């Protein structure tokens, strides 16, 4: 936000310079990022009065002017004669410097001496709207006045770095309120007063708001018999100080009042509005609007438009329509001052790529109580600058009036928070200095906050206002106090660090993905409609549909990561993510979701590096299972198991559920082909998702040590033929339960189906190491134990022993 120091002084009686003001504003929380001179670099240039103009005796395209510069009569040669005797013009005297470092010297042009130069606006570094050629001043200035003073170029521009909550300071009146509160300077703000013509404005225009949630107020005034022409130089100069390019007196007034009041305005050519009816509604899908930049815009139902019975005439809060623009033929102007819903304007502006000063203000929120003042101020200036007449009255549609917010303030509490002994009277004066009304009642100070300060809604906001206006510099510097403790990581943090180190040591790379995902990701994972993972936390104001809900699974994001890498010709992928998923709580919609730590792993492509001695191996189900088994073991967990399971995201018959002591830990397997297709992936991808909170529950940080065995081991092999439906894990567990602690090692070393094995059966071959830690086992003891294992398997599983 650019603030002209001289313009600001119109509204507040400042007695300090711009640098001091910038310091006070910054110390109060309104950061001034820069203070710069508005003078583009002009010296020794004055207001001159043209006494006479004659043609150059030796050149057809040159003219000789006699100019009174106050101190002398100077002869100046000019290249154009758009001026005449009696006009006031800028005269750069010999020795003057113009913008760009251009120096003026006394010279001869075709034998005629020229004592300086008559200047155009461009030569003075000003983008003014005026007749081509020498700048003819439109006001009376004393001859010899420095042109910098005459055009108010001796101004200073304060660049405010406003935070989003301080949208009230996007207007000079808001800045004036702030400066008055900080400095104690008197305000000079009055409601616009001007003559009007008696005519019933309700007979001239009708306003109807259809979508009241998107437009809380719409005020309109009418100015008749206007003449569209360039704005006076003082107005153009102020707009340039604000960084706005002048256009004509009508459009310039709307921009001027926007900068003054923080209320965007729009001027319609009243005669081009069909049936003199304004309708505020949502656009229809596919509706078209030709905007002021002569671009045809295709609208959608999320956008708010201003229409007449024939269709859209403006894109609400963003840009006007070409069909009702102000032109030189305009004779009657309809002034719009409205309050639009910020989110709608922001979305429209972003979707159409139309960012403007108006949309910026609407996006941050405008004061609904300020529309009539702004419309009246614009009407006053239009009548003054265009010889127009203001129609009496205002058309004001305000379906849901906003009332001032009253916030009770405990002054003792304010003093306690700030840490300063500020008197009750000082607190009252600070509130009233901010133009907040106050009332004592029940030991509290009831503060009435005007709608322009939408950032103040609670007592703590008033406490902050007291602290910053009183002065943060008055708060003494103190050292922090409290009990000093040694910082250390919790058990959970140590286990998380261990988990990541283990997975990296296995050759995996950590991925970090967004917590916000599109809801369609659950369809891509082919989850059933009643699947609990579809119960999600929705984001009220998502940046886009791609981030509409909070994730309840990590699988979708990791599959997108696989696709991202494959698209960049990286096919051998080994990723893991350890992050939170978000589960809604059933107790209340206002309760924060439960964040559950979850671990996901994904493998694709080949494993290993190709060289002269080996070739990479295609990853498979057992690579993933081996990683998970080793990970679980390294986390100090022993009683885990894998069992077949069906899951819609995984290939049938190629998925397993992981459990610890009968408690479900997670799932792993090969991603279903249809899911692969929906994520635009080819080949095979293996993935796992584990509830890491259960890992934390069972994990052990300490390591157990055992002494080396003193007694020899006995090795036996056992091959059993069982039905396909009987898992190896069940056989393994039965062997361990039967032989007890005497089984030191049990390994499945062969699985066979084929000749000599009946259909529907398979052969499982185990290597068993028997050892006692207390004595040497005899052959008879080992044989008896081994036979007991065989008898148990035959009895329980109808197993047949292969010899």
């Amino acid at each position: 936000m650019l603030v002209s120091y001289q313009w600001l002084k119109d509204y507040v009686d400042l007695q300090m310079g711009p640098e001091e003001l910038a310091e006070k504003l910054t110390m109060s929380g309104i950061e001034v990022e820069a203070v710069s001179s508005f003078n583009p670099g002009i010296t020794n240039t004055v207001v001159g009065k043209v006494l006479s103009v004659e043609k150059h005796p030796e050149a057809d395209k040159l003219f000789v002017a006699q100019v009174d510069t106050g101190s002398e009569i100077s002869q100046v040669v000019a290249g154009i004669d758009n001026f005449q005797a009696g006009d006031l013009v800028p005269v750069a005297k010999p020795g003057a410097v113009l913008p760009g470092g251009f120096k003026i010297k006394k010279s001869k042009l075709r034998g005629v001496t020229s004592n300086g130069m008559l200047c155009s606006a461009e030569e003075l570094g000003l983008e003014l709207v005026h007749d081509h050629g020498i700048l003819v001043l439109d006001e009376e200035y004393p001859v010899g006045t420095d042109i910098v003073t005459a055009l108010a170029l001796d101004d200073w521009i304060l660049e405010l770095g406003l935070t989003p909550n301080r949208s009230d300071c996007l207007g000079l009146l808001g800045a004036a309120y702030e400066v008055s509160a900080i400095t104690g300077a008197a305000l000079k703000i009055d409601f616009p007063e001007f003559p009007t013509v008696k005519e019933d404005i309700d007979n001239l225009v009708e306003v109807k708001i259809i979508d009241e949630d998107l437009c809380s107020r719409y005020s309109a005034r009418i100015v008749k018999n206007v003449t569209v022409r360039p704005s006076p130089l003082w107005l153009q100069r102020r707009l340039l100080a604000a960084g706005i390019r002048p256009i004509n007196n009508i459009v310039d007034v709307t921009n001027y009042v926007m900068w003054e009041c923080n209320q965007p305005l729009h001027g319609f050519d009243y005669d081009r509005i069909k049936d003199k009816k304004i309708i505020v509604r949502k656009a229809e899908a596919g509706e078209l609007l030709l905007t002021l930049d002569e671009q045809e815009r295709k609208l959608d139902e999320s956008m708010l438009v201003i229409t007449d019975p024939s269709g859209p005439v403006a894109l609400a809060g963003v840009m006007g329509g070409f069909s009702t623009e102000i032109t030189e033929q305009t004779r009657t102007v309809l002034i719009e001052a409205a309050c639009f819903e910020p989110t709608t304007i922001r979305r429209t502006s972003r979707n159409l790529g139309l960012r403007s000063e108006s949309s910026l203000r609407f996006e941050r929120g405008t004061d609904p109580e300020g529309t009539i003042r702004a419309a009246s101020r614009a009407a006053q200036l239009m009548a003054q600058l265009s010889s127009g007449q203001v129609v009496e009255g205002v058309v004001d549609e305000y379906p849901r009036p906003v009332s001032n917010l009253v916030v009770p303030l405990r002054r003792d509490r304010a003093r306690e928070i700030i840490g300063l002994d500020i008197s009750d009277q000082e607190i009252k004066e600070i509130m009233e200095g901010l133009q907040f009304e106050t009332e004592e009642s029940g030991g509290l100070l009831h503060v009435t906050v005007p709608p322009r300060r939408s950032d103040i809604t609670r007592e703590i906001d008033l406490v902050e206002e007291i602290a910053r206006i009183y002065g943060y510099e008055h708060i003494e510097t103190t050292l922090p106090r409290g009990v000093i403790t040694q910082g250390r990581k919790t058990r959970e943090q140590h286990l998380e660090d261990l988990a990541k180190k283990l997975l990296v040591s296995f050759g995996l790379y950590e991925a970090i993905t967004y917590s916000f995902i599109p809801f369609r990701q659950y369809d891509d994972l082919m989850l059933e409609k009643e699947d609990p993972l579809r119960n999600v936390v929705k984001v009220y104001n998502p940046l886009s549909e791609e981030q509409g809900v909070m994730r309840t699974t990590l699988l979708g994001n990791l599959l997108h990561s696989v696709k991202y890498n494959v698209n960049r010709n990286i096919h051998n992928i080994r990723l893991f993510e350890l992050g939170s998923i978000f589960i809604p709580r059933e107790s209340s919609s206002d309760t924060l979701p439960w964040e559950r730590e979850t671990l996901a792993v994904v493998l694709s492509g080949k494993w290993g590096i190709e060289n002269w001695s080996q070739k990479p191996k295609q990853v498979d189900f057992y690579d993933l299972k081996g990683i998970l088994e080793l990970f679980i073991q390294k986390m100090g967990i022993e009683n885990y198991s894998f069992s077949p399971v069906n899951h819609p995201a995984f290939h049938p018959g190629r998925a397993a559920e992981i459990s610890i002591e009968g408690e479900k830990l997670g799932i792993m397997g090969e991603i279903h082909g249809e899911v692969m297709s929906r994520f635009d992936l080819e080949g095979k991808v293996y993935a796992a998702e584990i509830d890491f909170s259960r890992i934390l529950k069972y994990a052990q940080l300490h390591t157990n040590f055992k002494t080396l065995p003193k007694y020899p081991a006995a090795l036996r092999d056992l091959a059993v033929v069982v039905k396909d439906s009987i898992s190896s894990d069940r056989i393994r567990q039965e062997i361990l339960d039967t032989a007890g602690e005497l089984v030191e090692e049990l390994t499945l070393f062969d699985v066979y189906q084929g000749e000599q094995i009946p259909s529907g059966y398979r052969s499982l071959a185990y290597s068993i190491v028997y050892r006692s830690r207390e004595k040497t086992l005899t052959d008879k003891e080992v044989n008896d134990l081994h036979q007991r294992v065989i008898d148990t398997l035959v009895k329980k599983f109808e197993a047949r022993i292969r010899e």
Side-chain angles (χ1 to χ4, degrees), residues 511-517 551 553-554 556-558 560-561 577:
I512 300 175
T513 62
Y514 286 116
S515 298
F516 304 117
I517 63 172
R551 65 188 181 188
T553 175
L554 302 182
N557 280 355
L558 280 188
H560 275 297
S561 296
E577 180 171 10

Side-chain angles (χ1 to χ4, degrees), residues 663-682:
E663 189 174 358
K664 181 180 177 181
L665 177 64
I667 190 170
M668 63 152 291
E670 180 185 329
I671 296 297
H672 196 289
E674 179 60 27
V675 174
M676 294 282 289
S677 177
R678 295 186 182 194
F679 281 89
D680 197 20
L681 291 170
E682 298 179 354

Side-chain angles (χ1 to χ4, degrees), residues 722-742:
V722 293
K723 294 179 180 178
D724 286 341
S725 59
I726 299 173
S727 68
S728 168
D729 190 64
R730 292 178 62 189
I731 301 292
R732 174 188 176 87
Q733 193 59 48
E734 197 62 40
I735 293 172
L736 293 174
D737 290 344
T738 302
E741 295 181 354
L742 293 179

Side-chain angles (χ1 to χ4, degrees), residues 51-65:
L51 301 178
S52 65
V53 184
E54 299 177 355
K55 291 186 68 67
H56 193 290
E58 301 295 333
D60 294 338
K61 296 184 179 180
L62 295 179
F63 302 88
V64 180

